[in-house]
Every structure is written in structure tokens, then in C-alpha cells.
Amino acid sequence: MSEPEAPVSGRATDSDGPDDITVSASPATSPDRPSDRIVGGRYRLGARRGIGLDIAIFEAVDLLTDRLVAVKIIHPEICASAGFAERFSTTIEQVMKTRHPNLVEVLAAGSATWSEQPVQYVVCENLTGGSLRDLGDRGRMLSPSQGVMIALDVCRGLDVAHRAGLVHGDIRPGNLVFGDDGRIRIADLGLAMLVAGEVSGESASTSSDRAPYASPEQAQGQPVGQKSDVYSLCLCVLEAVTGALPFVGDSTVATLANRVDRLMPVSADLGPLAAVLERAGRPHPADRYTASEFGRALVQAAEKLPRPAPIALLSSPPVESPPIAAPDPAASPSAPVAASPAAPPAGPPGMSPGPLVVPPPPPPPQPAVSPPLLRERNSRRKLIAVVAVLVVAAALGGALAWVVGRDTSNLVPDLVGVHEGEALNMVSEFGWDVVVAREASDDVESGFVIRTEPAADSSLGEGDAFTITVSTGPAPRVLPELVGLTVEQATAALVALGLDLQLRDQPFSEDVATGIILAWSVPDQPSLVAGDTVLPDTTIVVSVSAGPEPRVVPDLTGFSLIDATAQLQALALTVVQAPDEFSDQAPGAVMRQDPPPGASVPRDAPITIVVSKGPDLVAIPALADFNLQQATDALVAAGLVVGTVKGDPTGIIVLAEANGVALAADTQLPRGTVVDLTLQLAPTPSP
């Protein structure tokens, strides 16, 4: 059967879509008037609360029990996702089995029809004390003691949820809700992750309202785990106590990026709470508390804080709060966290809370007694008092003798390397005044004892001071400036800090010598600069100069000396001029170079060039009437070469040729030209 239609949206849809509507202002929505909108056959809806986009929340009346409840209806678009109904049923069934005073109680869940579309709904207890967000919006900051009180309650609820295998995934002030009893509850367990996964397509949704409280792993799109809830709770507490929320940027992307590999900025003004929040807000999940560990650390911090004033809720007068309970020294380190001031004492996770402790009633009025009887009673009381004094004196005397006679000192056990909780248990029976100090250590794992004062095997009596120094893990490293250092120098500086260097690239640089670092960054957080801090084992990538880019030698052949010099200087190469030589090139032109054209050379490399003096010409000597030997000697002396010899070799030269051209005396020829000779017998002289 279809439920009566009413506005449930807030999610953006098409303007003419059936669910792009707002809550009606009709009288039917008034909480003090009946409504005809009924969900699940028994929950009559009243006014809508909140401005959620994905879930509409209504006040409602359970018609079967006449109880005021809250009904949460998931937007039809989300419910229409494939397989959502099955995932919803499985998740909510598990949530309903997980009960705890600090978890909003889920009373029922089911399916209905809204605007002719199937939807899923959840029925919860109705809480009217406002949320932690409401307190912040009204400018109400909490004291550190009050912050501890709130955080303890939330840790108890998270511990139970985590032990049941559930992760909230969206711890933020708006999901931390007060009841009229002053006790805070965690809302939307299971529902937050379920809806976020449908909206974003993955479980680690980080919309603009979730981003300020998201963990670093959520910011990086990694799976959301139980310690993500611890990180988000740390941010909520820090904001509630200081009024400021760290890591908020100008956009959702900037807000998410700001917390990756960044330590939680916690002021020392928060006193004992500062170290606890710093640990809960570590950027890597492995370094954070679990919810149970967070709670126990808060209890220890509470011992050093003043009693918290009651938190004035938005819908009820303030309720007097008892002081925060100190942890049982004999309790196991893995025991559930202690009860908070605003909640009744609770048993182990998953069990119902223990009975409330109430003061005994005043004694009933005594009947009137006659004066004689009164005097008799007074005499008897005096006698009893005297006997009691004697008995007590005897007892005190015996006790004093026992105290004086017994040895109350104990030897300090060796606690170095022992976990903090175990160490405290080991000395709890000695009656020492134990102080836990915390100190960063590169050698001792976080949460384990570094040293004790006095050291092991020292003797301490009851009431003596005993200090246990516990490691908070490696101290943050201050990033040094690496630009201008050699790779060897930078590597040595980073290794000394427990950081790693990785070569990213080696670009050419005209200004920085080879092997000098040009730039560096932290890959996961590129905005970091020298002076910022990182955790040990962080990798810093560097760009190292490869020096000036090699030059390709141009072809200078045929260029004048001036032009060739200009080309080489433009490439930052050095010109070396060798002696000029004769060549077929025109005089003054480059005839040869070394290295040859196309060669790759470093900047400032020398380039040798040889300039042409032009061809080497010689004059052919006069060979007329020379015999062959005379002509050969003359040609060789002139730098020419004798070629083909024709005619009678015993004759005289009658013709000299070069390449078939007859040569006259003094003709200019290139040195080395081949000259062909023709000889014939000289005519016989007349008688």
C-alpha cells in the first residue's frame, strides 16, 4: 500500500522532477497537530528537522506506543541504486544489534513509498538536546575538561561500534547529538557510510560538509577504517575547545590536501589534553590511538584537569555533572574506556549500562522520648563511647606498631621497552606517586617506556615520586633547505634526520653546475617548504642540475671569419683560429673546422677553424729549348708535376700543356698541376 505523499527532497534534481520540492508549511507539519502522513503503518510524521540533502529527518509519533521518535527517510534517487535495498537491510540489521548508551538507538527500519517511488527509512530515538555543531554555531566553546567529557562518551560509543565491525566514516559535530539527559550520542552509525557510498560511488565520500573533518586517508581516496573515526573525533574536540578547525582551505580539494602528512597543530595551552589530541590526530593511521586507547588516554588527562562545569544544552537547563572517574589502576590496558560524567556507568562494550548510583534516603524521623529514658540512653551512649575509644586506641597502637615495623619500600622493576598500560599495572600496588611524562623517540615505539626515574633496581617507599617517560614515537623532522647543495651533501643531511632522498630528474641548467640541486619537494605534500615538519622516513625528491646543455657544432665552411666567430659565440663556444691555408675556397673563408659539423660538445668547448688563403698559384717557367731533364728540374722547382712526355726524349721541349691547353711561360697554375711535355730533335745547324 502506498504511503501518503509529502515533500522529502533537498537533493538537486531536474526542475520539473517529482522530488524537487520543499517541506510543506501546511498545518499538517506542525508537531502539535496530527498529520495524515504515516510511514510504516505506525509512524505519523510531524515537522521536518535539519537541511540534509540525502536524508530527510522528521519528528514523528509512534501510534502504537505514543512515543515521540525521529524518522529518517533516504532520498528516492539513492534508494533506486542497484542493490541498495539489500545493502541497507544488512547494514541496519547489524546497527540495530549494536546497542550502547552513546549510540543513537535505532528502533525500526523498513521500506515505504514516497512520491510513488520506493524509499528506505530508519526510526530512531528522538533527541532534542541539540548537537555539538549547534553549540559551536552559537559561539559556545567547551573548556578542556568539558572536551574530555564529550570525547570520552564518543570514544565509548565508537569502541562498541568498532568491536562490532562497524565504521562510522562521518564523525563531525552535526552527528554528535545530545539527549535531554545531557548524554551525547553518535548519530547515523552505518547510515553515513551507506549513503556516502551511494552518492560518490565509493565508501570514502568527502563532500564539502564532510571534508573539514575527513581523515588523511579519506582525503587520498583510501579505504576508511576505524582509526579514521578517531582522527575525525580529534578534529571535533579541537574545534569545540579552541573554536578553530585546522587544515581548512579555500576549497574542498585544498581542505583535503592540507592534512595529508601534516601533524595535528595542537597548542600546549590545552595542558594534558594537548599530547592526547596530538596522538589521536597523527596523519598515519598506524600511529593513532584506537577508540579504546583514546578513551583511556583522555581519562589520564582528566586526572590533571579541573572538574568540568555542566554543559548547558540548547533545549534544557544545565545538569550538574559529577567529576570524571579516574581509571582503575588494576584494570587491564585493553579494558573498555571508563564512563564519562554525563552518562551512567557502563559495563563492557556491547552490554547494557550498570545501575545508577543514587544517594541513600534520609533517615526516618525518630519518635519522641521521655526525659528519664533519654538520660538513661545518654549514659549508655557515654559508656559505649568510652569502650569504643579504648578499643580504637588499642587497635591504633597495634596498627602503629605494625606500620612502624614493616618495610614499605619496593624495588623499581625494569620497565624500559614495556607498554605504558602494562608498566602502570606493574607498579600500581606499590603506592608510589606515579607521573607519566611523554617524549619523542626515534628508537622506542610509541606507547612504550623509554626510561624511568629512578631507574630499575632503585628502592622507593610509598608516596615517593616515580616518573615513567613514555615514547610518543619519532619527533617530527624540520625540513632543511637543499637547493644549492650537492647530492652527496643533501643525502647526508637527510639521512641524519631519518629522511630519504630520491632523484626525480636531471634537467640542464645554464647557471647551476652539474650535480647541484635545483629544486626539491615532498611528493605527497608539494606545498611544504624548508622549516616545515614531516615524519621520519618521508621521501624528498630532488631535481639535480645536469649542467649546461651540450651544443651541436654548426657547419662553418665558406663563412667569413667574422660570421663564423659570431655563430660560435652565440652558442657559448670558444673560437680557436689556426694558421691560414691555401685552398679552393675564396680567400678569407673558413676552409676547415675541428670538431666537424654535427658534433656534440659541452658549453665553452674550443672550436678550431682554418681560414683559406685561396688557391696556391705558381708560374710555369720558360721551357723552350730545354731538354727533358732541364724541363723536369724547372717544373719541379716551380711546384708543378711532369706528366706525359711525347716525342723524341733526346730532343728539346717544343710544347708544354696542362689539361690539353698549351702553356706560355709565366702562366699561373695551381701548385701541383700536371704539365705534359712534347720534345723533338733540334734542327741540324747549317754549315
Side-chain angles (χ1 to χ4, degrees), residues 66-233:
D66 200 31
R67 176 181 180 180
L68 190 62
V69 296
V71 175
K72 300 183 178 183
I73 300 176
I74 303 175
H75 196 279
E77 287 183 11
I78 296 177
C79 297
S81 302
F84 178 80
E86 291 76 12
R87 291 190 293 275
F88 173 86
S89 177
T90 301
T91 300
I92 299 303
E93 180 179 359
Q94 186 179 7
V95 171
M96 292 179 69
K97 295 178 181 178
T98 308
R99 294 178 176 271
H100 189 270
N102 297 117
L103 298 176
V104 171
E105 183 180 6
V106 177
L107 305 173
S111 301
T113 302
W114 197 284
S115 298
E116 300 182 353
Q117 298 182 74
V119 294
Q120 271 69 42
Y121 68 88
V122 173
V123 182
C124 305
E125 61 177 322
N126 189 49
L127 301 176
T128 58
S131 68
L132 193 60
R133 172 80 285 143
D134 296 328
L135 292 178
D137 289 344
R138 286 161 176 77
R140 298 187 185 178
M141 288 171 50
L142 304 182
S143 68
S145 297
Q146 291 172 326
V148 168
M149 181 175 70
I150 293 298
L152 270 172
D153 267 347
V154 179
C155 282
R156 293 178 63 245
L158 285 177
D159 183 42
V160 170
H162 292 169
R163 290 173 188 267
L166 293 168
V167 175
H168 191 286
D170 190 20
I171 294 293
R172 50 192 163 110
N175 283 333
L176 304 179
V177 187
F178 295 94
D180 285 337
D181 55 4
R183 176 161 37 91
I184 199 165
R185 279 88 152 171
I186 303 171
D188 289 346
L189 178 63
L191 202 58
M193 288 282 282
L194 191 66
V195 172
E198 295 300 327
V199 172
S200 67
E202 55 184 47
S203 62
S205 173
T206 47
S207 60
S208 59
D209 53 344
R210 295 182 177 96
Y213 305 95
S215 63
E217 53 269 26
Q218 285 175 282
Q220 294 175 294
Q222 298 173 0
V224 179
Q226 296 176 352
K227 291 189 177 181
S228 298
D229 290 342
V230 171
Y231 186 95
S232 299
L233 174 57

Side-chain angles (χ1 to χ4, degrees), residues 291-537:
S292 179
E293 291 169 342
F294 192 9
R296 289 197 297 275
L298 288 167
V299 170
Q300 292 180 355
E303 295 176 337
K304 304 168 186 173
L305 292 171
R307 173 178 175 168
I311 297 176
L313 301 183
L314 302 180
S315 64
S316 62
V319 179
E320 181 68 20
S321 299
I324 296 175
D328 181 0
S332 166
S334 61
V337 298
S340 73
M351 296 179 62
S352 61
L356 286 172
V357 178
V358 296
Q366 299 295 324
V369 182
S370 62
L373 182 57
L374 181 59
R375 285 194 297 270
E376 180 182 350
R377 288 185 178 178
N378 287 339
S379 299
R380 189 180 305 160
R381 287 174 181 167
K382 290 179 180 179
L383 178 60
I384 293 173
V386 171
V387 173
V389 169
L390 293 175
V391 172
V392 171
L396 288 177
L400 180 61
W402 179 80
V403 170
V404 172
R406 73 185 180 98
D407 183 7
T408 61
S409 64
N410 290 279
L411 291 180
V412 175
D414 186 2
L415 302 180
V416 175
V418 177
H419 191 274
E420 175 186 353
E422 182 180 352
L424 291 174
N425 284 340
M426 292 173 65
V427 300
S428 61
E429 61 182 304
F430 299 150
W432 299 336
D433 181 12
V434 179
V435 176
V436 178
R438 304 192 184 276
E439 179 181 302
S441 173
D442 292 342
D443 304 317
V444 180
E445 184 180 352
S446 177
F448 289 80
V449 176
I450 301 174
R451 63 181 177 276
T452 62
E453 296 177 9
D457 297 329
S458 300
S459 180
L460 283 181
E462 289 185 5
D464 288 349
F466 181 62
T467 301
I468 298 177
T469 302
V470 178
S471 171
T472 58
R477 274 38 176 180
V478 178
L479 288 169
E481 181 56 76
L482 303 179
V483 173
L485 300 181
T486 65
V487 174
E488 293 75 15
Q489 291 170 333
T491 300
L494 295 180
V495 167
L497 294 172
L499 305 176
D500 298 325
L501 181 144
Q502 178 180 320
L503 179 62
R504 178 172 57 196
D505 52 16
Q506 290 183 275
F508 294 113
S509 173
E510 293 298 307
D511 305 316
V512 181
T514 302
I516 302 299
I517 293 178
L518 297 169
W520 59 270
S521 67
V522 179
D524 295 334
Q525 204 167 355
S527 62
L528 292 181
V529 297
D532 288 339
T533 59
V534 294
L535 294 176
D537 298 324

Side-chain angles (χ1 to χ4, degrees), residues 605-631:
I607 307 297
T608 301
I609 59 176
V610 178
V611 177
S612 173
K613 294 193 294 186
D616 184 8
L617 300 178
V618 296
I620 188 169
L623 302 177
D625 297 331
F626 278 21
N627 59 30
L628 180 59
Q629 185 59 49
Q630 292 172 326

Side-chain angles (χ1 to χ4, degrees), residues 38-72:
I38 300 177
V39 173
R42 61 183 285 187
Y43 303 105
R44 187 187 299 278
L45 301 186
R48 177 172 177 175
R49 298 204 315 245
I51 55 173
L53 300 181
D54 305 319
I55 302 175
I57 306 175
F58 294 89
E59 289 184 351
V61 175
D62 185 347
L63 298 178
L64 297 184
T65 63
D66 200 31
R67 176 181 180 180
L68 190 62
V69 296
V71 175
K72 300 183 178 183

